[in-house]
Every structure is written in C-alpha cells, then in structure tokens.
C-alpha cells in the first residue's frame, strides 16, 4: 500500500464476478495484443522498482512466464494479483491472492462455471507454499466473514497475511463499509485495506 508501482493489466479472466470492477478485462474483454518486449519497454519508462501484474486473471495470460522472467532480469519487485485458480511457475516476489467469496457468483449462464472454479484449495495451497503470499478478500457484508474464516482455516493461512477489503467503486459506499470492516479486522486479527486508488482518483481507468 502506497508503494509507487507500475501496473501491468492483462485482459481476460476465467471468472465472472457479479461486481467485477474491471469488466473490460472479464465480461467484455478488450485491449491490444502487446508483445512481451513492448510491455517491458513500457515498464522501463517508469522510475518505480515495484511492478504489479494484475488483470483480469494474469495467470491465464499467454506469455506471463516470459513477462515475469523479463521483470526479474530487470531486478523489479514483482507482485502478481490473482484469484488463485491457476498455478504456473512464474517469477514473483509477492503472490497477492484474492479468492472469490460466494457473493461474487453471478446470475445467468456464467453461474455454474464461476461457482465451480472460484475456490481451488489445492492450487491456493501450492501458491502459498511456493511464494511469499497474502490472501485478500473482497467483503460486501459483515456475514461474509464466516466464509473467510472457513477458507483461512482450511488453508492453514496465517491471520496476519489475511487482508479484508471493502467491495465497492463509490467513495460513500466504501466509507460506510470500511467503518464496520475495520472493526471486524481488529476482532479477527486480520489486516484491513482501503481501496486507495478509488479514494485518490475515483473509479477511473488507468489509475
Ligand atoms: S477475478 Fe477479478 S477480473 Fe476476474 S471477474 Fe473477478 S474481479 Fe473481475
């Protein structure tokens, strides 16, 4: 949080969260096809040493292994933001895993596939074993914490690596949810994360 970082956003996702805040990478994926070398050249233009690879789901992006290797050669600190449903042997300093809770499941034709895929315990355990990790849960309502507790217990994750973040793209909604969520985080011994980019810039692309 607060570390100056370059963000690389891949388009395409194997899930379809009902509240996805980047539908242009999931429900209606868009974007240009860039070669790895071009992405690395763009990253080189920024002074930040930290690079966050996000999505969509970056772990299904073609050439994600090559991209991570290129960042490693440049001695960048690499964070990968993933829902934790796919394992690949990427280069990564922090695997920021965000398993999706039941409230993410949409109505309609994607419901069955999303529900079947959203929690993959074996893959989550492998990512947690092979990488420095954090588990970030998107929370809509206080009752969500029961599901978080069950997942954390099943995975044997350390409470200090669990982060609770309010769901929402509007400042007023985030403010209201942050107040009760911070209390839950204190009670459970989990960490709390605001949505800094929304607080600073509003829900705008490219921030
Ligand atoms: S996993 Fe992330 S990118 Fe994919 S649908 Fe859910 S919120 Fe959107």
């Amino acid at each position: 949080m607060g570390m100056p970082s370059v963000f690389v956003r891949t388009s395409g996702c194997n899930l379809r969260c009902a509240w996805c805040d980047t539908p242009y990478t999931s429900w209606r994926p868009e974007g240009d096809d860039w070669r790895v070398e071009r992405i690395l050249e763009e990253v080189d233009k920024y002074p930040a040493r930290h690079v966050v690879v996000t999505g969509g789901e970056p772990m299904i992006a073609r050439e994600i292994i090559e991209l991570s290797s290129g960042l490693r050669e440049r001695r960048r600190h690499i964070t990968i933001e993933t829902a934790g449903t796919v394992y690949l042997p990427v280069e990564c300093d922090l695997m920021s895993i965000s398993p999706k809770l039941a409230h993410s499941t949409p109505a309609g034709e994607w419901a069955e596939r999303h529900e079947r895929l959203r929690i993959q315990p074996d893959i989550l355990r492998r990512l947690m074993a092979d990488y420095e990790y954090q588990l970030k849960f998107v929370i809509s309502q206080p009752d969500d914490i029961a599901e978080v507790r069950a997942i954390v217990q099943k995975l044997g994750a350390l409470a200090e690596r669990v982060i609770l973040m309010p769901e929402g793209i509007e400042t007023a909604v985030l403010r209201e949810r942050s107040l009760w969520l911070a209390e839950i985080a204190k009670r459970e011994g989990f960490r709390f994360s605001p949505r800094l980019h929304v607080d600073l810039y509003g829900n705008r692309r490219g921030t």
Side-chain angles (χ1 to χ4, degrees), residues 15 33 39-40 82 104 106 108 118 124 136 143 148 162 179 198:
L15 298 180
D33 200 4
I39 297 172
L40 292 170
T82 176
S104 68
R118 69 181 173 83
L124 291 167
K136 188 172 70 179
D143 288 352
V148 172
V162 176
L179 289 171
V198 180

Side-chain angles (χ1 to χ4, degrees), residues 13 15-17 19-22 25-27 55-57 83 100 114:
C13 189
L15 298 180
R16 291 291 186 278
C17 297
W19 39 257
C20 180
D21 62 349
T22 55
T25 69
S26 58
W27 289 95
E57 174 50 75
K100 296 300 180 280
H114 180 98

Side-chain angles (χ1 to χ4, degrees), residues 25-194:
T25 69
S26 58
W27 289 95
R28 298 177 299 282
E30 58 183 76
D32 299 325
D33 200 4
W34 283 23
R35 295 170 57 86
V36 168
E37 207 48 46
R38 182 171 171 201
I39 297 172
L40 292 170
E41 282 170 15
E42 192 67 23
V43 167
D44 283 343
K45 294 178 184 172
Y46 294 84
R49 194 175 78 80
H50 285 242
V51 179
V52 180
V53 184
T54 188
E57 174 50 75
M59 295 290 265
I60 64 168
R62 207 160 30 93
E63 299 174 305
I64 184 68
I65 293 177
E66 290 85 341
L67 176 64
S68 69
S69 298
L71 293 170
R72 175 62 75 233
E73 282 167 15
R74 285 162 164 75
R75 300 179 184 280
R76 300 299 182 123
H77 179 283
I78 307 163
T79 297
I80 296 183
E81 294 192 324
T82 176
T85 62
V86 176
Y87 183 93
L88 280 178
V90 289
E91 296 286 340
C92 180
D93 298 295
L94 175 62
M95 195 60 79
S96 183
I97 311 167
S98 183
K100 296 300 180 280
L101 301 181
H103 63 67
S104 68
T105 301
E109 60 179 339
W110 267 90
E112 187 277 328
R113 182 171 167 192
H114 180 98
E115 185 58 28
R116 177 165 42 83
L117 277 179
R118 69 181 173 83
I119 301 288
Q120 301 287 327
D122 290 342
I123 290 170
L124 291 167
R125 284 194 195 92
R126 194 168 171 202
L127 290 169
M128 291 162 59
D130 288 2
Y131 297 97
E132 191 70 27
Y133 75 90
Q134 61 188 23
L135 286 178
K136 188 172 70 179
F137 293 95
V138 176
I139 305 291
S140 292
Q141 51 201 2
D143 288 352
D144 292 343
I145 202 65
E147 192 180 356
V148 172
R149 266 197 227 114
I151 294 170
V152 168
Q153 194 173 17
K154 188 171 184 174
L155 297 175
L158 297 173
E160 66 205 37
R161 294 190 184 225
V162 176
I163 301 172
L164 306 179
M165 191 177 76
E167 187 269 313
I169 54 175
E170 291 164 19
T171 312
V173 171
L174 291 172
R175 168 89 183 140
E176 186 272 323
R177 291 179 175 170
S178 294
L179 289 171
W180 53 254
L181 189 54
E183 296 307 311
I184 292 175
K186 284 193 273 185
R187 190 184 72 215
E188 302 285 333
F190 296 151
R191 287 156 59 189
F192 167 82
S193 171

